[in-house]
Amino acid sequence: MNIANLLKIALKALNNNKLRCFLTMLGIIIGVASVITMLAIGQGSKNSIKAQISEMGSNMIMIHPGNMQRGGVRQSADDMQTLEVSDYEALKELPGVAAISPSVNSGGQLVNGNNNYPSSIYGVTPEYLDIRKFKVKDGGMFTEHDIKSAAKVCILGKTVVDNLFPNGEDPVGRVIRFGKIPLTVIGVLESKGTNSMGQDQDDVVIAPYTTVMKRILAIDYIQGIFASAADENRTDETIEAITDMLRTRHKIKEDADNDFEIRSQQELSEMMNSTSDMMTVLLACIAGISLLVGGIGIMNIMYVSVTERTREIGLRMSIGARGIDILSQFLIEAVIISVSGGIIGILLGVIASWLVNVIAHWPVYIQPYSVVLSFAVCTVTGVFFGWYPAKKAASLDPIEAIRYE
């Protein structure tokens, strides 16, 4: 018997039990829709985290003083003074470094007339804006001359502006105080909102690092260095070159620990991606249980179908139908149920993902592989769970089957 005839017989048999057929497909539909939706949510979250981490800085490398022991006592990184301006000047010459800025910061009270607000001031160079992807919205950036003269100028983030100038005044050109130090506002940063850690990136004041070092903190060392790798794929090489240069400059012996620590956005990104991947796999596994339940449903309904149609099977075999024909017929029925359910499930999964994005405002991203994988799993499920009942039907004895009541 050819495939076309077997297909007609299978479709007619399914058409005779529409409701039962639909209820059998329901497990597959829910399973496929769940897998696609869960994977879309997981991938969307991963992409969102990547974008937010990227907004925090471009291939950013962070260098800070490290913990070390002196006289048997472990020193805190806050007490260390191992990074100097000369280290920053030397690292500027490394070919793998695209941008670099020293960093010193202090917390304190900002005052403008009757308005005040607690915030942090960061002493950096203009390259810090490129590294952290900040942009000046109004006014301008301080210059190298301002750095050399330790000028009393600053740039404000939106959160600081909103609190110090609540009536909507233009802050550019106005003088505010950080503690007792007067600072002239020369620019306002574009708003960046909160980052993936929930930190407000607009709650910031930026000034020349020399101003913060000399006029606010009264120190002659820097608290950190921010750098940006020229090539994201060579971040590790750049970190290695920075490490070698700092160890040489600090005269650290071969078997001694570093007196500094280096972290990169790549490490943070990999950690967050690992967590996101784990959650995505967990969600997909939970959704995949529905596919398993749907497959068991197919096996169950095919068993029922074989039992109900035992006499039909016996009659067909008695007039010449071979075992392979009976096997193919029931296998085709199982595959039709699973594939049809899979197609409906894919459509439902795409719609559900869209609704999650529109209603819950969660980031979603449907990957093509998730659709292909779901469809392939449906087909395999139909074959796998339909094989045994079909095999049972094909192995029936024609005479016993005809006598079956």
Side-chain angles (χ1 to χ4, degrees), residues 288-302:
I289 294 174
S290 297
L291 276 177
L292 178 62
V293 172
I296 294 172
I298 290 176
M299 178 179 280
N300 182 50
I301 206 65
M302 295 310 295

Side-chain angles (χ1 to χ4, degrees), residues 127-191:
E127 288 186 323
Y128 181 78
L129 269 65
D130 295 327
I131 297 169
R132 291 293 310 275
K133 292 191 174 179
F134 281 116
K135 291 182 180 179
V136 177
K137 180 182 178 182
D138 298 317
M141 186 61 176
F142 50 80
T143 63
E144 287 296 327
H145 178 268
D146 294 327
I147 293 174
K148 290 178 181 177
S149 62
K152 298 177 184 178
V153 294
C154 68
I155 298 173
L156 306 181
K158 186 177 183 300
T159 300
V160 177
V161 171
D162 291 343
N163 284 275
L164 292 185
F165 302 91
N167 297 322
E169 308 99 309
D170 184 3
V172 177
R174 301 284 292 273
V175 177
I176 64 173
R177 285 189 293 112
F178 184 84
K180 296 181 180 180
I181 308 298
L183 298 171
T184 301
V185 179
I186 61 172
V188 176
L189 297 172
E190 279 188 6
S191 176

